[in-house]
Amino acid sequence: DAGVTQSPTHLIKTRGQHVTLRCSPISGHKSVSWYQQVLGQGPQFIFQYYEKEERGRGNFPDRFSARQFPNYSSELNVNALLLGDSALYLCASSLEAGLYNYGYTFGSGTRLTVV
Amino acid sequence: GQNIDQPTEMTATEGAIVQINCTYQTSGFNGLFWYQQHAGEAPTFLSYNVLDGLEEKGRFSSFLSRSKGYSYLLLKELQMKDSASYLCAVRAFNDYKLSFGAGTTVTVRA
C-alpha cells in the first residue's frame, strides 16, 4: 500500500517567489495536516484539513495557505518566500480529524531551500 | 500553548538501554506521542499514551504521568539502526494539532 506521498522531494526557490507543495494521503484517509520542520527543531503545525474544510491553523502568516481536494489530496501554498521559510515541509494523513484519533502517518517531506 | 522539553542529545552503547525524558505543560491534555525520525526521513510513529502508566511494544516502552506532566521513552537492547532523532509530541484537549518538542538525537556507538 502506498503511504503518504509528497512532491516534490526537493525544491530551490528565490526570495519573493511562490511555491506549491503537494500531498496525497493514504487511501481512505480523509484528513491532511501540514507541518514545517526547521533544521534542529521539531515540526510546527501549519494547517489541518478534513473533508475539504480547514479544521485548524497554526501561528503562520497569511502568506501560507492550503486547500484539500475532493480526492483528499492537498496543496500547501507559500507566497512571497523568505529565507526563513527554508525548511522540511511534512504532510501527515489520518483517517479522521477526531479528537481521539492518533493514527497520524507522515510523508517523507519536501525540502524547500529559499536563496 | 504547549511547552515541551526534552534533552538535545544522548549517546549510548550498542546493546545498552537509553531513557529519553519529556516534560510538558499544556492547557488540557489529550495524548502524548513518540516518533522516531532518521535524518532526511519522515517521522514514524512509535507510541501513544493517554492514560498513566507504561506501554510496552517490543524493545520500546513509553511511560506517562499526567499529574507530573512527564513521559519517557525507553529503548532497550540498542541497535545501530536506533540512531535517530526521537520526537515527543502532545495534543491538547479540543485541539487537532500535535505540538512537538525539539527532538532528542540518540547516537548508538559500537
Side-chain angles (χ1 to χ4, degrees):
Chain A
D1 288 342
V4 180
T5 57
Q6 293 187 244
S7 63
T9 54
H10 295 84
L11 200 54
I12 299 175
K13 289 286 192 178
T14 305
R15 275 179 301 176
Q17 285 188 314
H18 161 91
V19 69
T20 297
L21 310 181
R22 296 177 175 83
C23 172
S24 292
I26 291 172
S27 178
H29 282 196
K30 298 180 180 179
S31 179
V32 169
S33 300
W34 288 96
Y35 288 79
Q36 180 197 64
Q37 187 175 24
V38 174
L39 196 62
Q41 297 183 20
Q44 298 294 312
F45 174 76
I46 310 175
F47 288 108
Q48 186 187 60
Y49 277 78
Y50 176 67
E51 291 282 14
K52 293 168 288 181
E53 291 195 2
E54 182 183 301
R55 287 295 186 94
R57 171 185 281 259
N59 188 24
F60 280 80
D62 291 342
R63 298 185 296 108
F64 288 76
S65 63
R67 55 181 175 168
Q68 186 177 33
F69 299 99
N71 66 353
Y72 303 111
S73 66
S74 178
E75 283 183 354
L76 174 69
N77 295 283
V78 187
N79 292 323
L81 284 166
L82 303 174
L83 295 180
D85 295 330
S86 296
L88 179 68
Y89 288 84
L90 294 164
C91 173
S93 96
S94 58
L95 193 59
E96 56 181 64
L99 294 173
Y100 299 100
N101 171 59
Y102 62 92
Y104 303 95
T105 303
F106 284 86
S108 296
T110 294
R111 171 72 63 188
L112 173 66
T113 303
V114 182
V115 297
Chain B
Q2 288 81 39
N3 189 24
I4 301 162
D5 290 315
Q6 50 182 130
T8 305
E9 295 181 350
M10 301 184 76
T11 301
T13 306
E14 197 174 13
I17 298 173
V18 69
Q19 177 174 315
I20 306 169
N21 296 323
C22 173
T23 58
Y24 65 89
Q25 293 176 307
T26 183
S27 51
F29 174 81
N30 190 29
L32 186 142
F33 301 74
W34 284 97
Y35 283 85
Q36 179 192 61
Q37 186 178 28
H38 286 98
E41 298 183 12
T44 54
F45 172 80
L46 291 178
S47 69
Y48 170 71
N49 295 71
V50 68
L51 299 176
D52 291 352
L54 187 68
E55 295 280 342
E56 296 188 84
K57 196 183 288 187
R59 294 189 299 115
F60 293 3
S61 303
S62 58
F63 172 83
L64 175 68
S65 170
R66 288 172 296 171
S67 63
K68 296 181 179 178
Y70 168 71
S71 173
Y72 68 72
L73 179 69
L74 195 68
L75 314 180
K76 294 179 276 190
E77 301 169 15
L78 279 171
Q79 302 176 10
M80 299 300 287
K81 67 179 181 179
D82 297 329
S83 292
S85 178
Y86 291 84
L87 300 162
C88 173
V90 171
R91 183 171 61 193
F93 198 71
N94 286 335
D95 201 352
Y96 297 99
K97 71 176 185 289
L98 298 180
S99 297
F100 285 86
T104 300
T105 299
V106 171
T107 302
V108 181
R109 294 186 172 162

